[in-house]
């Protein structure tokens, strides 16, 4: 088994921001806030958050905020609950949540809750369990869960549970590892994990491991992908069923997806690397207690020391 090319990955992440005219930068312009969260959290897990200019990042984040309280994916882009959580997470990494008007941000998120307990992503009304998790996580980090109807939010998530133990994006939608993380994470943050059939869901999740490569996929009959080293693995940890997969084979799969010369991690071995898969690869290794990495919280998707500073030390 190879080793994690930590310094190469740090160099790759830092270099992405400097290539402002690259194809990757242009196509990611509208989700730059999410990219900042992926890259900066990966740096923190690698112990290299100091490699960026804190004040420059914080200034840019604040320029993405709208009068509504929500944040856009970049300066001049419309606000969305997804980008709002990423903004809060980035500020949390730097211990800079005090620069926010917390009530304003929390009110923006709370206004997106619908009568049935679901959440819309923005003013246009798309509903998805991703947004339920995002809203709950964001408000929990801001200590403002009291601004929403938590009971209704939990009941809506439970209405998206399927016969196989998994969860979909809306009631009746197929189970998917990404949606399962969102639903399990939201239930964990609201103290509602007792509603889950942990054995049934654990079996569905552990079946996502490919016997040949050791990687995890997101749905039956799909190829393994490094990002599910987060989405599926974190859920297994939250329901105490992570011992049902082969951890060593998964570690090898993630390490095999590295570009050891130029840095970065791809979805599968020998594919092109990107910040998204680099973050989720490093995060997965952190969950697997790979040496040299900071611990990450499986529900908040932030380093444990950051979560403790915000949640436990308030």
């Amino acid at each position: 088994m190879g080793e994690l090319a930590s310094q190469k990955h740090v160099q790759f992440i830092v270099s992405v921001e400097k290539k402002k005219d690259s194809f990757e930068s242009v196509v990611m312009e509208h989700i730059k806030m999410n990219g900042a969260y992926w890259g900066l959290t990966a740096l923190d897990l690698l112990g290299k958050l100091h490699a960026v200019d804190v004040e420059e990042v914080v200034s840019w984040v604040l320029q993405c905020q709208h009068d509504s309280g929500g944040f856009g994916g970049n300066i001049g882009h419309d606000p969305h609950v997804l980008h709002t959580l990423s903004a809060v997470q980035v500020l949390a990494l730097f211990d800079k949540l005090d620069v926010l008007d917390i009530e304003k941000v929390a009110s923006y998120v709370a206004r997106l809750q619908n009568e049935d307990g679901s959440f819309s992503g923005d003013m246009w009304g798309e509903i998805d369990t991703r947004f339920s998790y995002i809203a709950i996580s964001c408000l929990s980090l801001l200590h403002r869960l009291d601004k929403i109807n938590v009971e209704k939010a939990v009941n809506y998530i439970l209405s998206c549970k399927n016969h196989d133990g998994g969860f979909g994006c809306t009631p009746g939608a197929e189970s998917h590892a990404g949606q399962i993380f969102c639903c399990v994470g939201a239930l964990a943050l609201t103290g509602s994990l007792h509603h889950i059939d942990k054995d049934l869901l654990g079996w569905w999740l552990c079946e996502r491991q490919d016997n040949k490569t050791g990687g995890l996929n997101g749905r039956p009959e799909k190829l393994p992908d490094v990002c599910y080293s987060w989405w599926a693995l974190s859920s297994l940890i939250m329901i105490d069923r992570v011992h049902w997969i082969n951890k060593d084979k998964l570690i090898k799969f993630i390490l095999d997806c590295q570009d050891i010369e130029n840095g970065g991690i791809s979805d599968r071995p020998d594919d092109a690397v990107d910040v998204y898969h680099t973050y989720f690869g490093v995060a997965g290794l952190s969950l697997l207690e790979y040496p040299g990495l900071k611990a990450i919280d499986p529900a908040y998707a932030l380093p444990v020391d950051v979560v403790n500073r915000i949640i436990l030390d308030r």
Side-chain angles (χ1 to χ4, degrees), residues 52-205:
V52 299
D53 185 323
V54 177
E55 296 307 320
E56 182 180 340
V57 174
V58 172
S59 174
W60 169 77
V61 168
L62 292 177
Q63 290 180 70
C64 296
Q65 189 173 24
H66 288 250
D67 291 340
S68 64
F71 288 78
N74 206 337
I75 297 171
H77 287 255
D78 291 343
H80 193 285
V81 72
L82 172 58
H83 310 312
T84 301
L85 173 61
S86 290
V88 169
Q89 289 169 318
V90 168
L91 294 174
L93 289 173
F94 295 115
D95 198 16
K96 291 288 187 178
L97 287 177
D98 58 347
V99 303
L100 289 175
D101 181 336
I102 288 176
E103 283 300 322
K104 188 175 183 180
V105 178
S107 294
Y108 167 78
V109 175
R111 286 195 300 271
L112 294 171
Q113 187 172 31
N114 301 304
E115 184 59 33
D116 64 355
S118 66
F119 283 84
S120 300
D122 58 16
M123 63 181 289
W124 304 109
E126 180 189 6
I127 294 172
D128 191 308
T129 47
R130 288 180 301 151
F131 307 147
S132 295
Y133 165 77
I134 288 165
I136 288 169
S137 179
C138 188
L139 292 174
S140 181
L141 289 169
L142 298 175
H143 305 300
R144 293 296 186 277
L145 272 177
D146 59 330
K147 293 187 73 69
I148 61 170
N149 189 320
V150 174
E151 182 179 1
K152 279 190 173 183
V154 168
N155 286 337
Y156 178 78
I157 290 168
L158 295 176
S159 75
C160 299
K161 184 166 62 173
N162 293 319
H163 65 88
D164 55 16
F167 294 83
C169 57
T170 53
E174 71 171 318
S175 296
H176 185 283
Q179 305 296 151
I180 288 171
F181 162 76
C182 292
C183 294
V184 173
L187 294 175
L189 295 177
T190 55
S192 307
L193 284 177
H194 57 280
H195 291 294
I196 294 175
D197 184 332
K198 296 180 181 179
D199 284 345
L200 184 61
L201 176 56
W203 180 249
W204 190 94
L205 287 168

